[in-house]
Amino acid sequence: MPFSYTGKILHVNLSSGDIAVEEPDDLFYRRYLGGKGFAGYYLLKMLRPGVDPLGPDNVLVFAPGLLCGTPGPGLNRFTVAAKSPLSGAYGEAEAGGWWGPELKFAGCDAIVIKGRAPQPVYLWIEDGRAEVRDARHLWGLTTGEAQAAIRQELGEGPRKVRIAQIGPAGENRVRFACVVSELRYFNGRGGLGAVMGSKNLKAVAVRGRQEPALADPAAVLEIVRWHAKEFKNDPRGAALHAAGTPGLVAGLNAAGLLPTRNFQSGAFADAAALSYDAYQALLSGTNTCHACPVRCKREVSVTGDYAASPLYGGPEYETIAALGSNCGIGDLRAVAAANELCARYTLDSISTGGAIAWAMECFERGLLTRDDVGGLDLRFGNAEAMLQLVTMIAHRQGIGDLLAEGVQRAAARIGRGAEALAMHVKGQELPLHEPRGKFGVGLGYAVSETGADHLKMVHDTVFQTKESASLLSAAPLGIWEPLDAQDASSRKVRLYRLLENGPALWNCLGACFFVYAPRGFFPLERVPELVQAITSWRTSLGELWQGAERAINLARVFNVREGFGRADDTLPPRLFEPLEGGRLQGASLSHDEFEAALTLLYRMKGWDPATAAPTPAKLAELDIEWAAEEM
Amino acid sequence: MPFSYTGKILHVNLSSGDIAVEEPDDLFYRRYLGGKGFAGYYLLKMLRPGVDPLGPDNVLVFAPGLLCGTPGPGLNRFTVAAKSPLSGAYGEAEAGGWWGPELKFAGCDAIVIKGRAPQPVYLWIEDGRAEVRDARHLWGLTTGEAQAAIRQELGEGPRKVRIAQIGPAGENRVRFACVVSELRYFNGRGGLGAVMGSKNLKAVAVRGRQEPALADPAAVLEIVRWHAKEFKNDPRGAALHAAGTPGLVAGLNAAGLLPTRNFQSGAFADAAALSYDAYQALLSGTNTCHACPVRCKREVSVTGDYAASPLYGGPEYETIAALGSNCGIGDLRAVAAANELCARYTLDSISTGGAIAWAMECFERGLLTRDDVGGLDLRFGNAEAMLQLVTMIAHRQGIGDLLAEGVQRAAARIGRGAEALAMHVKGQELPLHEPRGKFGVGLGYAVSETGADHLKMVHDTVFQTKESASLLSAAPLGIWEPLDAQDASSRKVRLYRLLENGPALWNCLGACFFVYAPRGFFPLERVPELVQAITSWRTSLGELWQGAERAINLARVFNVREGFGRADDTLPPRLFEPLEGGRLQGASLSHDEFEAALTLLYRMKGWDPATAAPTPAKLAELDIEWAAEEM
């Protein structure tokens, strides 16, 4: 078969320094695909249950998706995975950019890392060779500094060596430290940066010069050209190109769906100051990921009190809402500065914003005093305080040390009702989408193996009108009729069930969610054709969808093995209380509806509604019967 | 949308003579497709549970598949359905040929018939107009005679008016009377001819002049041409074209899989006399169905003692094995003559052969005496007696009246162990495939809603080698590895589960099983493209597969409502006893393995293993929650 998924999985033992190469057969790729599928496989096979996520026995996986690095549209994403120090569950975060493709160009389909280096190291992978290198001189550097230093010592010009790395937050094992590549593409969620830190692994630098061979290059080219032509005027693509994710702020606020002041409200009075109109004043350029027709990425340049360099890109929607509206801050310059700090320190901006918003509410309600917080005036809206907290968290200074544990642990520590204010699922802070206005978001947050996760939910607002482009795009899944975003009936559960494998599939393929239907605009019905042109496999959307379901089930088995059950598939209590203000004033979830939907969803998924565990029959259907023995 | 599924469902009340037209919306077609999907829908909606299958309250559906009559390869099949007088369960039988396309050309997507005409009638449908006509003068005629008479009185030359009809066996309500069109295409199983007889409906004659409009005629043409070119050398198609289904005899016998003497053995000493070499001596021509690249149909011409006219086609594999080897008869001329008798009387040759084979074994074992059978020497191998019995069954004469009830009822009538010799599931006689050598065949027979049915099983012999073309064709379903045909493990259950929607989908689409992968050679991965070119729907194999699963579940709900449960999903006891002779000498099914496989299959299908009923969650997932209320 001409397609080269290059056929090499790198196994690195940091304790011993050993590096080994595994060359799986074609069927391994077909069954587990890549990305999330590989992560689930290796975490289940190589991790013992109950290990300390920040100890040497955790396993850290870097896995581009199957098609990552090919010229197909938006095929650039890779997954980092480990047992999460934030949730104690399956931890995974994906990012686009250039690092994943570079790893493929270097002849490597995934890296599986175990053990702990005796002293700081980084990994250097170049065209099929791998090396563990001393990083003592890099330890403590922020990401910009470290990137420059590594590039210099590897003797390559800028933009040649791609570096995924951690800054001080990862070194300090902040439980929501992220991994960043090219200083601006974040494997954000779940604290995987802390896992790198705990392994004394500062960075993974890669350089590859061999693009993956394609089974049918002419067919790939035809699809790419057809797509570029056919869809250049798709309004969804055009909107995303024109304003990126920051373009979402105004519309969400108008709909009452912009999380504000720790999810107390869905409308923010100063939303205009966070909108794309305001963003444009800071804009210094746009950017893109490998092979992307959308080019949604932005760079900002801010000088003055709140400085931000375009080197670190610019804040995305999640960051704007997390560190802006959700902290009551209507100042995009402050958000941009915080975004850069998160990138320099490697802090997940969603969890960082969630922790600060929680602290602010605790402060306003008297659960944290001025003394507790080092004298800061921690009321909502204090941008200065927010920025100070970002740095304090990264360095675990003062109250930052508590917040670096995440809201679940921090709330448990201070007690007195603070738990009720902690907006998380399985310990992971909520992304900035409001389940009280989108039932599929709530379901997704609850059942996600990683805890609340904006890449594991259904944006059901885009399926609620008959004319919706996303609804039309979803027809090949058997979704033919609009459904209100707040609908919580069995039909919504069906919608969720039919859609949920989508994000998991895009992850496994290394495909960006913004490019692929039903949310994006590369049509679902041509995905098998694209996969076939690249890999030579005769495939179908059904086979691929089942591959994604397999990956989801592997992650779920991991969680069951770690002791997670149905009670963990839940939502914070606030979501069952009425929203304050905005267009959805008074909206709340119903416990009965939510539990009924959950039960039905488990049944549809072939999971036991009592334990939330996959049934042996489901695992057999997915051809991963071996995973049943892990539970 | 340009595609005309012509959009008209004809409702005929034979009691009142009323004819009404229903024009369902696009979504109805998308959800229920056609064929089996329509049948399940109307039988559930229009039939009360517990009605007498031979009373006026039974509902009879004629439903071409969604794509029937278009130029796509092998798109020519239609379903006839009703509550079966043979099984008391969901009854359905499909046929190819020309009648289904003609009904579409006449502007009609299905006919739903209820009530009972006060006197014999036939239905005449011509270009959107329908008429109930007197058939008193046709009653009692054999099919050849009736066809000639109807064509003459409708003033059309031969081959213009297409006629689906019954002969004396249907009129006499033989419980396995079939429906025949063009004298040679059989909706064979389940006694639907008896339902026509019970309604005093002799025939449905149709003439249409308007081919269905295609959404994208150029794309359809391109696919048809591509397919003709790409696959003209496919060995599967070539073999089927060269010898039709009669070509199977020799190979099955060599493999020990040719049912012989009422399934006592899998090898027949006189198999050579039934093989295609022998067949060729009788061959007078070949024939085809609408738009088929395979052209597998055969015509025989026999003179002398055992006469057979090419007007009635020629025996297929099932008929050769049913009335040949399974009756111990090694004389293809006698089989050809019996085939013609079945076509003239409208007897299902599989059940007819099954009933005669059972009677022969009863005779040899002394459970039926010479007196019981009208003086016939009913030992295996007596061709003369076999032919006499065919006529006696059609006219319910002597022992024929008992056999006309099917082996289940007949065995219950005579008792004394005759039940153990009755090879049926849910009252329907076994097709001529040996579950002891093909586990997927056994599973299919057991769970089929219609009872044992050769269009509802998995031919797992074609998936057992790595090089098998069918295995490679099944890859888009997630079937990647060979599995022995006798394997009864969970992997076989998975294979079955992934494949079982296939035959149901071909039925719903009106597509022939011999043309479409994995058994045929039109690739699965291009089916959605073909459907889109014809209908304009953006679809996927997954959506279509789920449509088929929906149809299967509707049929299952029908059976649950009629009181069927897990105990009915069983196999005759003989299959758990060792085969005698041949290459599979000694092979038998294991009760434990079979029950374990059944339980696992139910779980994979989302059915309750205790009741074999679909769970409410499965019905909600299939978007047919309304069906749950029927159970």
Side-chain angles (χ1 to χ4, degrees), chain A residues 73-74 221-232 293-294 515-516 521-523 526:
Chain A
L221 192 65
E222 186 276 322
I223 294 172
V224 170
R225 283 191 179 145
W226 168 82
H227 180 249
K229 190 175 152 195
E230 191 86 357
F231 291 93
K232 71 180 168 191
V294 179
V515 175
Y516 288 82
F521 46 92
F522 187 98
R526 291 202 73 178

Side-chain angles (χ1 to χ4, degrees), chain B residues 85-325:
Chain B
L86 188 61
S87 67
Y90 174 85
E92 152 198 285
E94 47 173 306
W98 303 88
W99 189 91
E102 194 76 22
L103 188 69
K104 300 284 275 194
F105 300 168
C108 182
D109 289 331
I111 313 170
V112 183
I113 297 167
K114 61 181 180 180
R116 174 186 189 164
Q119 57 192 31
V121 297
Y122 73 95
L123 196 59
W124 165 227
I125 297 170
E126 185 184 20
D127 289 329
R129 292 183 304 280
E131 184 188 350
V132 177
R133 293 173 66 105
D134 191 352
R136 279 175 295 181
H137 58 300
L138 304 171
W139 208 250
L141 297 185
T142 62
T143 55
E145 297 160 346
Q147 176 171 289
I150 293 172
R151 283 189 170 157
Q152 188 162 28
E153 76 186 48
L154 292 175
E156 298 264 357
R159 310 205 65 84
K160 288 285 184 65
V161 177
R162 307 287 186 183
I163 299 163
Q165 61 161 326
I166 55 168
E171 297 172 14
N172 295 328
R173 305 183 193 182
V174 172
R175 285 188 188 269
F176 47 84
C178 68
V179 179
V180 69
S181 52
E182 301 289 297
L183 307 183
R184 65 177 75 189
Y185 302 104
F186 304 96
N187 303 85
R189 314 302 320 270
L192 302 165
V195 176
M196 280 185 77
S198 75
K199 294 190 172 304
N200 272 326
L201 178 65
K202 178 70 174 173
V204 184
V206 296
R207 177 72 179 103
R209 292 170 182 83
Q210 181 68 53
E211 292 190 21
L214 306 172
D216 186 343
V220 175
L221 192 65
E222 186 275 322
I223 294 170
V224 170
R225 283 190 180 145
W226 168 82
H227 180 250
K229 191 175 149 195
E230 193 84 359
F231 291 93
K232 71 181 167 188
N233 294 319
D234 186 289
R236 290 169 293 178
L240 212 46
H241 174 70
T245 60
L248 299 171
V249 172
L252 288 172
N253 187 62
L257 288 167
L258 183 69
T260 299
R261 289 186 303 279
N262 200 31
F263 282 85
Q264 293 182 85
S265 179
F268 182 45
D270 290 336
L274 298 175
S275 73
Y276 195 63
D277 283 344
Y279 201 104
Q280 279 177 297
L282 315 182
L283 198 66
S284 64
T286 60
N287 212 314
T288 187
C289 303
H290 167 86
C292 186
V294 180
R295 303 178 64 89
C296 74
K297 293 287 173 186
R298 261 125 190 92
E299 292 174 351
V300 297
S301 179
V302 184
T303 51
D305 292 348
Y306 300 138
S309 154
L311 270 181
Y312 297 93
E316 298 280 352
Y317 164 72
E318 297 286 340
T319 305
I320 298 170
L323 292 158
S325 60

Side-chain angles (χ1 to χ4, degrees), chain A residues 171-513:
Chain A
E171 297 172 12
N172 295 327
R173 305 183 193 184
V174 173
R175 287 189 187 268
F176 46 84
C178 67
V179 179
V180 71
S181 52
E182 300 290 296
L183 307 183
R184 63 177 78 186
Y185 303 103
F186 303 96
N187 303 82
R189 312 305 317 273
L192 302 166
V195 177
M196 280 184 77
S198 74
K199 295 190 173 302
N200 273 327
L201 179 64
K202 177 71 173 174
V204 184
V206 296
R207 177 72 179 104
R209 292 168 182 86
Q210 183 67 52
E211 292 191 20
L214 307 172
D216 186 345
V220 176
L221 192 65
E222 186 276 322
I223 294 172
V224 170
R225 283 191 179 145
W226 168 82
H227 180 249
K229 190 175 152 195
E230 191 86 357
F231 291 93
K232 71 180 168 191
N233 294 318
D234 186 289
R236 289 169 293 178
L240 212 47
H241 175 71
T245 61
L248 299 171
V249 172
L252 287 172
N253 188 61
L257 288 167
L258 185 69
T260 299
R261 290 188 301 279
N262 200 31
F263 282 86
Q264 294 181 83
S265 178
F268 182 46
D270 291 336
L274 298 175
S275 73
Y276 195 64
D277 284 344
Y279 202 105
Q280 280 176 298
L282 314 182
L283 199 65
S284 64
T286 59
N287 212 314
T288 187
C289 303
H290 166 87
C292 185
V294 179
R295 303 178 62 91
C296 74
K297 293 286 172 188
R298 262 126 189 92
E299 292 174 350
V300 298
S301 178
V302 184
T303 51
D305 291 349
Y306 300 138
S309 153
L311 269 181
Y312 298 91
E316 299 280 353
Y317 164 73
E318 298 286 341
T319 305
I320 298 169
L323 292 159
S325 60
N326 208 35
C327 290
I329 293 168
D331 183 339
L332 206 47
R333 301 166 70 89
V335 171
N339 182 64
E340 173 169 323
L341 290 181
C342 287
R344 289 162 67 95
Y345 298 140
T346 59
L347 283 170
D348 170 33
S349 63
I350 297 174
S351 283
T352 302
I356 294 172
W358 171 82
M360 285 175 162
E361 187 171 356
C362 287
F363 184 84
E364 289 200 349
R365 294 188 189 272
L367 298 170
L368 288 174
T369 66
R370 206 176 261 265
D371 279 353
D372 291 330
V373 300
L376 294 171
D377 176 14
L378 214 50
R379 283 177 296 185
F380 282 113
N382 186 340
E384 207 52 65
M386 178 271 286
L387 284 162
Q388 287 192 41
L389 277 187
V390 173
T391 299
M392 291 165 73
I393 290 169
H395 295 100
R396 285 188 170 271
Q397 294 161 336
I399 185 73
D401 190 42
L402 180 70
L403 298 181
E405 294 293 292
V407 297
Q408 183 182 35
R409 284 181 175 79
R413 195 85 58 82
I414 71 169
R416 291 175 298 144
E419 291 94 338
L421 315 179
M423 301 302 290
H424 73 90
V425 176
K426 297 186 181 73
Q428 179 156 286
E429 289 74 16
L430 254 59
L432 289 302
H433 303 272
E434 176 51 79
R436 284 168 286 190
K438 301 176 183 175
F439 191 76
V441 167
L443 263 187
Y445 284 176
V447 301
S448 161
E449 279 66 46
T450 57
D453 193 324
H454 63 301
L455 295 178
K456 295 179 182 69
M457 59 186 210
V458 165
H459 287 270
D460 41 9
T461 39
V462 305
F463 301 101
Q464 59 182 2
T465 67
K466 212 170 168 177
E467 299 73 27
S468 139
S470 294
L471 179 65
L472 295 173
S473 295
L477 300 174
I479 296 168
W480 313 305
E481 291 171 294
L483 208 52
D484 190 78
Q486 288 180 283
D487 183 295
S489 72
S490 60
R491 303 202 76 185
K492 176 57 65 67
V493 179
R494 176 177 187 264
L495 179 89
Y496 184 88
R497 163 69 180 151
L498 295 180
L499 288 168
E500 68 171 348
N501 295 336
L505 177 61
W506 309 143
N507 178 317
C508 291
L509 298 181
C512 182
F513 179 69

Side-chain angles (χ1 to χ4, degrees), chain A residues 27 30-31 475-476 480-481 490-491 494 497 523 525 538-540 543 546 603-604 617 620-621 623 625, chain B residues 27 30-31 475-476 480-481 490-491 494 497 523 525 538-540 543 546 603 617 620-621 623 625:
Chain A
L27 205 49
R30 192 130 192 186
R31 190 173 276 121
W480 313 305
E481 291 171 294
S490 60
R491 303 202 76 185
R494 176 177 187 264
R497 163 69 180 151
E525 63 271 24
R538 296 174 60 180
T539 186
S540 74
E543 184 195 353
Q546 187 174 66
R603 292 208 163 108
M604 286 185 185
E621 187 181 14
D623 206 19
E625 238 178 335
Chain B
L27 205 49
R30 192 132 191 185
R31 192 173 276 121
W480 312 305
E481 291 170 294
S490 60
R491 304 203 76 185
R494 176 177 187 263
R497 164 68 180 152
E525 63 270 25
R538 295 175 60 180
T539 187
S540 73
E543 183 195 355
Q546 187 174 68
R603 292 208 162 108
E621 188 181 13
D623 205 20
E625 239 177 338

